[in-house]
Amino acid sequence: MRLQSWSDAWAAWRNRLVSSPRFQHWAAGFLLTRPIAHASADRLFGLVAGFVYSQVLLACVRLKLLDLLAEGPLNAKQLAEAMDLPSEGAARLLAAAQSLGLVEAAGPERYRLGLEGAALLGNAGLQDMIAHHALFYTDLADPVALLKQGGGQGQLAAFWPYAAYDKPDESGFEATSPYSRLMAATQPMIAADILHAYPLGGHHLLMDVGGGAGAFAIAAATETPSLKVRVFDLPAVAGQARLAFSTAGLDARAEALGGNFLTDDLPAGADIISFVRILHDHDDATVMKLLTAARAAVAQNGVVMIAEPMSAAPARDPMAEAYFGLYLFAMGRGRARTPRELTSMARQAGFSRIVNKPTRTPMLVRVLIAYP
């Protein structure tokens, strides 16, 4: 017989009670427990039906339903024609979207944006990420097989060149362009939160390691006109960043250097080095190597910024542990770490003080500033 602690014994009693059909029936009808029972049932069914909800969302994005309603209400026939759907298919999608708050009724057979739809429409990067999830769903088609066989072999691994290839620095424009576009599209919502948590006015040169096509660097340079910026990324990606800098009118304040941050030394001279959504893509040994390289490269009076989704464990954290946990597992490497873990790793890399900067959306990004 297994020895149980008091908490184990209490949890076992609780679980026997909650799993009893008789208790469930009683709790759903009793005045004091009814709201709790109904809320619990809603959460449980949300887990059961979550995949269907995500597919409704994907259909809305692919068919541009929310964009069609951006200028005002339309009737069901107009929407069906614009989405190129038969009337019954459009009716099913509209009913499903209405139930999820993406659209709402504006009269008989007439629809307008709902609150959730308006919030989603205001974030173009989020729509790009939803469309990108089709690759994730393919990798999750058989979750048990994924967990048994491991990741790194499916659609997500092929999408992210540094995860799929042994020599990512040899990846050309065609291999790097799709993920660079996705990162650029989804970066603005993250960049604004990061720059609000840690303004860069006190710095002279930002080097964004793995900065892709320069979205964060451009946001930082725009926010802080006195700041010079640099992107260090794969050669093919650095070329895209140079073009983006030129388009943004930042030729005089921005540069993009090509290299492989997994094997090359980081360029010196910056008084702030940023890793924005980079470290969680890699294993612990690689993260230690990157932090150590950043400590060597950053100016003595500078700092290193770590900005990415972080786990709130041991508290429940579905975004970090369920979403990012399985996404990164399917991709083939990386995990969401807690701020405490990253702080410990930064200290091992030679940083003396690490400060946690609160963000407005900690579910999506947290910020740590490491001082030499």
Side-chain angles (χ1 to χ4, degrees):
M1 180 178 179
R2 291 181 187 172
L3 294 176
Q4 290 187 325
S5 66
W6 282 108
S7 63
D8 289 336
W10 180 87
W13 174 84
R14 176 203 62 191
N15 293 343
R16 284 195 302 271
L17 184 67
V18 171
S19 63
S20 165
R22 183 176 179 181
F23 175 79
Q24 292 174 5
H25 179 76
W26 173 83
F30 183 56
L31 180 63
L32 296 180
T33 57
R34 187 185 305 158
I36 300 173
H38 288 182
S40 178
D42 285 344
R43 288 194 300 271
L44 181 59
F45 190 76
L47 291 175
V48 174
F51 181 74
V52 177
Y53 298 161
S54 70
Q55 299 309 291
V56 171
L57 186 59
L58 179 59
C60 290
V61 169
R62 282 184 169 175
L63 294 169
K64 299 190 180 300
L65 172 58
L66 306 180
D67 299 270
L68 291 171
L69 294 173
E71 298 301 321
L74 293 172
N75 62 45
K77 183 178 180 181
Q78 291 171 317
L79 288 168
E81 291 176 352
M83 292 186 293
D84 193 24
L85 288 178
S87 58
E88 184 171 346
R92 291 297 176 104
L93 177 61
L94 288 166
Q98 183 178 352
S99 73
L100 298 177
L102 298 169
V103 304
E104 61 187 29
E109 295 293 306
R110 194 165 175 265
Y111 296 89
R112 62 185 174 225
L113 276 178
L115 282 176
E116 305 298 339
L120 197 156
L121 190 64
N123 195 325
L126 188 55
Q127 293 197 62
D128 287 313
M129 183 58 73
I130 292 165
H132 165 71
H133 279 163
L135 303 179
F136 189 18
Y137 301 148
T138 300
D139 286 354
L140 281 176
D142 187 342
V144 175
L146 173 65
L147 293 170
K148 286 185 175 182
Q149 297 168 12
Q153 307 170 58
Q155 297 291 316
L156 287 180
F159 183 82
W160 301 102
Y162 57 82
Y165 307 136
D166 293 332
K167 298 180 179 179
D169 48 317
E170 295 180 4
S171 302
F173 177 81
E174 290 185 2
T176 59
S177 182
Y179 89 79
S180 294
R181 284 198 302 269
L182 178 65
M183 292 295 287
T186 58
Q187 197 73 289
M189 61 179 176
I190 301 297
D193 207 353
I194 295 170
L195 296 172
H196 178 267
Y198 186 77
L200 303 183
H203 293 285
H204 304 290
L205 173 60
L206 162 73
M207 180 167 70
D208 192 24
V209 178
F216 179 70
I218 291 171
T222 302
E223 181 82 10
T224 311
S226 62
L227 184 71
K228 293 183 179 180
V229 296
R230 173 195 297 162
V231 161
F232 182 64
D233 209 322
L234 300 175
V237 179
Q240 298 171 47
R242 290 187 199 102
L243 179 60
F245 290 152
S246 181
T247 302
L250 292 172
D251 291 309
R253 289 199 288 138
E255 65 177 349
L257 304 181
N260 184 347
F261 61 66
L262 298 178
T263 57
D264 300 337
D265 291 336
L266 297 182
D271 64 340
I272 176 168
I273 295 176
S274 59
F275 294 102
V276 179
R277 299 192 294 177
I278 296 296
L279 301 187
H280 74 326
D281 286 351
H282 298 281
D283 59 29
D284 289 353
T286 300
V287 171
M288 281 303 306
K289 183 176 181 179
L290 289 172
L291 290 174
T292 302
R295 175 65 182 86
V298 72
Q300 190 56 40
N301 62 340
V303 300
V304 169
M305 171 194 287
I306 302 169
E308 63 186 31
M310 298 181 196
S311 172
R316 289 178 61 182
D317 191 345
M319 179 63 79
E321 303 301 340
Y323 174 79
F324 284 110
L326 284 177
Y327 185 100
L328 295 169
F329 186 79
M331 193 178 80
R333 63 179 70 182
R335 64 186 178 90
R337 297 172 178 85
T338 65
R340 177 174 292 184
E341 285 180 290
L342 288 167
T343 294
S344 175
M345 297 174 86
R347 287 197 173 114
Q348 291 178 55
F351 293 93
S352 63
R353 185 166 64 98
I354 295 87
V355 178
N356 192 336
K357 295 290 186 178
T359 62
R360 291 175 292 188
T361 53
M363 178 179 67
L364 297 177
V365 65
R366 296 171 186 255
V367 173
L368 296 179
I369 304 298
Y371 295 83

